[in-house]
């Protein structure tokens, strides 16, 4: 019923958009706009179906043996089918409407324009350079050895029938080999690519260091009572949340690992340990929201440093401010409170002097949206530490949390 409600809401929004947009003087006819709307609907259904199939494949792979055979892990196959489905849908659109009309439709979407802006930014180019630098160097070396053999578009005498798709593809190739490649090898992009590399290495090393520290922490806490461990984890979690750059998902996962391990050492059942860890994670989130709003946002509302950290001057935060000022509790407000950046949103609520009780009530769905899946992923890592197949359940919980985060942001 939730999926059907989401699809009906999406269909209503598409109908309102089509009714508000007049095709007169534009590149798209009513039929073409309806086709694009239906393709969007199909894409949303495909995303939901793929997510459900991926979760089902993950759970099926952990089931007991069937006729003496291990269950096959079909997650990669589900992802492959999803990729080729969207690739075929894109090819169908390009063939039916042409790239010019698709670009016109994308330009009418704020989300598409924002994504295009991010893709064309220097950080996106830096990530591309970081991933494909060896191949680009080989390509540049081969071109230098063979000479610059850039060719122009085929002349009409070559008896080549120029369709719209081939002309656009040819211009895209020329743009990639020309302006894009020139912008790729700039000092700013190269510097950002180095930072991307440093960040990647730090992330990989950080995961290993984190696992070692967690093992050491579990050893230290093994002799302590579950109540003492819970209070310590609660205090550390609130402190981490009060640091502006800290994301919430890793904190919840660490809470799941430490609290569940301590619960097992105290003789608690796995289910009771998971429930208690989820409760601690929820308490950390609510306590952070109250402290950030009442102790940082309200008393330091006029502080230039705090307002700069919140970035109240940006377009995104001004839009969030308008939504939070709306009376009552709306879906948009709840989505901002549970899906927006933790520290800026909580402090912004204090700057706007919003009522704490209503904000905490509107934030409570975060228990199902983020806290429970992330804590569950850490808890399952401890419970199934000796079973490689059952660890898939932890990965599934992380994927569900990521999908719910994307859904809230949309």
């Amino acid at each position: 019923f939730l999926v059907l409600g989401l699809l009906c809401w999406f269909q209503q929004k598409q109908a309102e958009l089509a009714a508000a947009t007049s095709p007169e003087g534009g590149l798209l006819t009513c039929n073409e706009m309806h086709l694009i709307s239906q393709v969007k609907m199909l894409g949303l259904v495909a995303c939901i179906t793929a997510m459900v199939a991926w979760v089902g494949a993950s759970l099926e792979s952990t089931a007991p043996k069937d006729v003496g055979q291990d269950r096959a892990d079909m997650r990669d196959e589900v992802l492959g089918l999803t990729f080729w489905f969207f690739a075929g849908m894109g090819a169908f659109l390009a063939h039916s409407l042409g790239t010019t009309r698709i670009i016109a439709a994308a330009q009418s979407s704020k989300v598409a324009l924002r994504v295009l802006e991010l893709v064309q930014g220097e950080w996106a180019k830096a990530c591309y350079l970081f991933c494909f630098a060896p191949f680009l160097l080989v390509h540049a070396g081969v071109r230098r050895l063979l000479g610059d053999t850039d060719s122009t578009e085929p002349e009409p005498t070559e008896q080549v029938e120029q369709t719209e798709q081939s002309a656009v593809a040819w211009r895209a190739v020329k743009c990639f080999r020309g302006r894009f490649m020139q912008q790729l090898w700039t000092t700013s992009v190269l510097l950002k690519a180095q930072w991307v590399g440093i960040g990647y290495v730090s992330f990989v090393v950080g995961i290993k260091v984190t696992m070692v520290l967690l093992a050491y922490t579990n050893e230290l806490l093994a002799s302590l009572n579950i109540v003492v461990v819970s209070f310590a984890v609660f205090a550390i979690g609130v402190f981490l949340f009060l640091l502006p750059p800290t994301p919430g998902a890793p904190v919840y996962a660490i809470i799941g690992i430490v609290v569940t391990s301590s619960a097992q050492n105290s003789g608690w059942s796995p289910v009771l340990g998971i429930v208690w860890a989820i409760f601690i994670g929820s308490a950390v989130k609510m306590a952070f929201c109250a402290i950030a709003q009442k102790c940082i946002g309200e008393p330091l509302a006029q502080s230039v440093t705090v307002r700069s950290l919140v970035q109240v001057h940006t377009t995104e935060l001004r839009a969030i401010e308008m939504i939070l000022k709306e009376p009552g509790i709306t879906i948009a407000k709840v989505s901002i409170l549970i899906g927006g950046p933790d520290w800026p949103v909580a402090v912004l609520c204090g700057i706007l002097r919003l009522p704490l009780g209503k904000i905490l009530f509107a934030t409570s769905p975060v228990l199902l949206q983020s806290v429970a899946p992330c804590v569950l992923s850490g808890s399952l890592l401890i419970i199934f530490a000796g079973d490689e197949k059952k660890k898939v359940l932890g990965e599934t919980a992380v994927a569900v949390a990521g999908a719910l985060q994307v859904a809230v942001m949309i």
Side-chain angles (χ1 to χ4, degrees), residues 42-167:
L42 180 61
L44 180 62
V45 174
C47 289
I48 296 175
T49 304
M51 187 63 198
V52 172
W54 190 86
V55 172
S58 300
L59 297 178
E60 180 66 19
S61 65
T62 62
K65 292 183 178 181
D66 186 15
V67 197
Q69 299 292 328
D70 291 332
R71 301 279 183 168
D73 188 356
M74 302 294 291
R75 293 180 297 168
D76 293 338
E77 286 75 5
V78 171
L79 294 178
L81 287 174
T82 305
F83 169 79
W84 287 114
F85 173 80
F86 281 103
M89 191 166 60
F92 166 75
L93 272 181
H95 176 74
S96 301
L97 300 179
T99 53
T100 303
R101 290 180 171 84
I102 293 177
I103 294 174
Q107 290 175 346
S108 64
S109 172
K110 295 181 180 180
V111 176
L113 290 177
R114 182 61 176 169
V115 171
L116 184 62
E117 179 183 346
L118 293 175
V119 170
Q120 292 178 342
E122 289 189 347
W123 281 107
K125 293 180 177 133
C127 293
Y128 176 82
L129 183 61
F130 172 73
C131 295
F132 299 102
F135 304 101
L136 294 174
L137 291 175
V138 172
H139 174 263
V142 172
R143 288 189 60 192
R144 181 62 62 89
L145 290 176
L146 300 179
D148 193 358
T149 58
D150 284 344
S151 59
T152 59
E153 293 189 47
E155 299 293 337
T157 56
E158 297 181 18
Q159 303 297 326
V160 177
E161 182 181 358
Q162 289 291 312
T163 62
E164 181 185 7
Q165 288 81 3
S166 63

Side-chain angles (χ1 to χ4, degrees), residues 260-296:
T260 304
S261 176
S262 178
Q264 284 188 326
N265 294 332
S266 299
W268 289 22
S269 65
V271 175
L272 186 59
I274 292 174
V275 172
W276 181 248
I278 293 175
F279 172 77
I280 296 297
S282 303
V284 167
K285 173 65 176 179
M286 293 302 175
F288 155 73
C289 291
I291 294 173
Q293 181 173 341
K294 289 297 183 180
C295 300
I296 300 178

Side-chain angles (χ1 to χ4, degrees), residues 153-195:
E153 293 189 47
E155 299 293 337
T157 56
E158 297 181 18
Q159 303 297 326
V160 177
E161 182 181 358
Q162 289 291 312
T163 62
E164 181 185 7
Q165 288 81 3
S166 63
V168 172
W170 183 258
R171 288 196 298 270
V173 170
K174 291 186 66 178
C175 178
F176 174 80
R177 299 181 63 183
R179 184 177 59 183
F180 178 79
M181 293 297 291
Q182 291 175 359
Q183 295 176 352
L184 198 63
W185 300 102
T186 60
T187 303
S188 178
V189 173
L190 289 173
L191 181 61
K192 287 181 173 62
Q194 293 178 17
W195 281 113

